[in-house]
Amino acid sequence: RSASHYVKSNKRKAESLQSEIKETEMRLDDVKARMAKLERVLDVFDRMERLHEQAEVDDDRIDGEEDSDVRQASSLIAELSQNFSKEEQSSLRFYSDVVPSLLGPIAERRLKGWKPVVQDGAERSEVIMSDVVGLCSAVASSSPKEDADNEGIWATKRALFVAHILPRVKRALQSSRWDPICNVEEGLA
């Protein structure tokens, strides 16, 4: 009887260990998949950083090169979005935090030298606004249709506006160089 009990006990232990081995292998596969995903994300971030660094070095770029930067950034963001499920994008606040932070340096370069309350600046302001909003449209057009939903694109536009355009306008309106009584037209332009 004790030998049979010993065999049964060891058999249960062996089955339990096999079950634990399978669970550990599944967790290991899951960790490997996460590592591969994070490596792809890191690669995209590295390429985006190189794109921004190159644009900073080539400060006197012409419009065609700027458009190339936008296309490259859009392509990288689309590649990045494909690494995440809808749920992951939502929890990461992909379109309201991640995408605007990646587009921020491009938006800042586009806004460089922009003075919102300068006379005859209305046309330039309109071009700048549409240019920065165009960054979001470029991202939307390069992202898979199921990823680039309207809500996400609006979140990106809002974040870029709040982080880059609004502070410039606010500083210009609070500037001591602009007199709202004498220069009403400039402030309304």
Side-chain angles (χ1 to χ4, degrees), residues 165-182:
I165 294 173
L166 195 58
R168 286 176 182 268
V169 172
K170 186 176 178 181
R171 272 193 311 271
L173 292 174
Q174 292 174 341
S175 171
S176 60
R177 288 183 255 152
W178 177 62
D179 182 4
I181 296 181
C182 298

Side-chain angles (χ1 to χ4, degrees), residues 64-113:
E65 291 172 334
E66 288 264 331
D67 290 340
S68 173
D69 288 350
V70 172
R71 282 191 302 276
Q72 288 177 25
S74 297
S75 173
L76 289 171
I77 289 169
E79 186 178 332
L80 186 63
S81 74
Q82 291 171 358
N83 280 302
F84 300 113
S85 68
K86 274 291 214 190
E87 294 78 25
E88 290 171 326
Q89 287 181 9
S90 178
S91 69
L92 289 170
R93 298 175 46 161
F94 188 76
Y95 286 103
S96 61
D97 289 348
V98 176
V99 173
S101 65
L102 294 173
L103 291 176
I106 295 173
E108 281 299 317
R109 282 194 303 277
R110 298 280 173 107
L111 294 170
K112 190 176 182 180

Side-chain angles (χ1 to χ4, degrees), residues 70 74 110 128-140 157:
V70 172
S74 297
R110 298 280 173 107
I128 293 226
M129 297 287 186
S130 64
D131 202 25
V132 172
V133 169
L135 290 172
C136 302
S137 300
V139 169
K157 288 178 181 180

Side-chain angles (χ1 to χ4, degrees), residues 5-180:
H5 177 70
Y6 181 74
V7 169
K8 287 180 184 178
S9 173
N10 282 337
K11 187 176 180 181
R12 282 193 300 259
K13 287 179 184 176
E15 289 171 354
S16 174
L17 286 174
Q18 285 177 337
S19 174
E20 285 182 32
I21 289 171
K22 286 181 183 177
E23 286 178 26
T24 303
E25 286 173 345
M26 287 175 40
R27 279 186 270 169
L28 183 61
D29 290 342
D30 187 42
V31 167
K32 286 179 181 177
R34 287 182 188 168
M35 284 177 48
K37 179 187 280 194
L38 290 175
E39 286 172 356
R40 288 189 305 269
V41 168
L42 184 59
D43 177 57
V44 171
F45 282 164
D46 286 343
R47 288 185 285 156
M48 184 69 83
E49 185 176 19
R50 283 194 302 274
L51 177 69
H52 292 316
E53 287 172 353
Q54 186 63 39
E56 285 295 318
V57 170
D58 301 340
D59 200 26
D60 53 343
R61 301 166 76 88
I62 55 176
D63 286 341
E65 291 172 334
E66 288 264 331
D67 290 340
S68 173
D69 288 350
V70 172
R71 282 191 302 276
Q72 288 177 25
S74 297
S75 173
L76 289 171
I77 289 169
E79 186 178 332
L80 186 63
S81 74
Q82 291 171 358
N83 280 302
F84 300 113
S85 68
K86 274 291 214 190
E87 294 78 25
E88 290 171 326
Q89 287 181 9
S90 178
S91 69
L92 289 170
R93 298 175 46 161
F94 188 76
Y95 286 103
S96 61
D97 289 348
V98 176
V99 173
S101 65
L102 294 173
L103 291 176
I106 295 173
E108 281 299 317
R109 282 194 303 277
R110 298 280 173 107
L111 294 170
K112 190 176 182 180
W114 177 50
K115 295 180 177 62
V117 290
V118 173
Q119 192 162 2
D120 299 328
E123 287 179 21
R124 171 124 169 89
S125 292
E126 187 176 332
V127 167
I128 293 226
M129 297 287 186
S130 64
D131 202 25
V132 172
V133 169
L135 290 172
C136 302
S137 300
V139 169
S141 67
S142 68
S143 295
K145 294 302 176 202
E146 64 274 2
D147 288 347
D149 59 357
N150 269 343
E151 187 176 317
I153 299 307
W154 278 108
T156 301
K157 288 178 181 180
R158 182 182 186 283
L160 283 175
F161 181 80
V162 168
H164 300 284
I165 294 173
L166 195 58
R168 286 176 182 268
V169 172
K170 186 176 178 181
R171 272 193 311 271
L173 292 174
Q174 292 174 341
S175 171
S176 60
R177 288 183 255 152
W178 177 62
D179 182 4

